[in-house]
């Protein structure tokens, strides 16, 4: 199926190519992972040229309907992101490293 540009979180392919990598060179992404805006989420290859697909938003991966080495067409749905639950974005307080001793 094709990505719907009016639906927030649906990421479509900008070109024809093959899915070279899901994630970046250091991390393979899977459903349930949290990604940051601007993070590489998929890498496509066409005619020996790699194209990084970056996340347009902070989100949690809801679906990855493509597989490694799969051929994709322009505007095909690559990934679906959902809103990050509030608890996942809340920073935990830092440990009391600099607590005063009595």
């Amino acid at each position: 199926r094709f990505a719907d540009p009016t639906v927030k979180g649906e990421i479509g392919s900008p070109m024809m190519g093959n899915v070279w990598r899901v994630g970046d060179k250091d991390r393979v992404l899977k459903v349930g992972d949290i990604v940051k805006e601007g993070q590489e989420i998929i890498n496509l290859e066409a005619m020996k040229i790699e194209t990084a697909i970056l996340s347009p938003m902070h989100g949690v991966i809801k679906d990855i309907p493509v597989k490694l080495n799969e051929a994709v067409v322009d505007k095909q749905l690559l990934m679906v992101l959902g809103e990050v639950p509030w608890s996942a974005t809340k920073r935990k307080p830092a440990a009391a490293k600099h607590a005063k001793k009595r």
Side-chain angles (χ1 to χ4, degrees):
R1 89 178 178 118
F2 292 101
D4 184 347
T6 63
V7 177
K8 184 178 178 181
E10 286 197 2
I11 301 164
S13 176
M15 59 185 233
M16 288 179 59
N18 293 313
V19 178
W20 186 251
R21 181 172 54 232
V22 177
D24 60 25
K25 62 182 180 172
D26 299 321
R27 178 179 171 206
V28 175
L29 294 175
K30 60 189 180 311
V31 172
D33 286 346
I34 295 175
V35 295
K36 296 179 183 176
E37 182 176 356
Q39 175 180 340
E40 181 179 340
I41 53 173
I42 289 185
N43 194 297
L44 299 178
E45 180 272 330
M47 296 175 24
K48 299 190 181 193
I49 297 173
E50 294 181 28
T51 301
I53 309 301
L54 306 180
S55 176
M57 60 184 259
H58 287 43
V60 61
I61 299 173
K62 296 287 188 185
D63 189 22
I64 306 172
V66 294
K67 294 178 179 30
L68 285 178
N69 301 316
E70 181 178 335
V72 296
V73 296
D74 189 34
K75 299 181 181 147
Q76 182 174 337
L77 184 65
L78 299 176
M79 189 175 287
V80 178
L81 299 179
E83 295 290 324
V84 178
W86 182 81
S87 61
T89 59
K90 184 179 177 185
R91 277 193 132 195
K92 295 181 180 177
K97 285 184 181 179
H98 306 290
K100 294 181 182 180
K101 294 181 181 179
R102 292 186 186 213

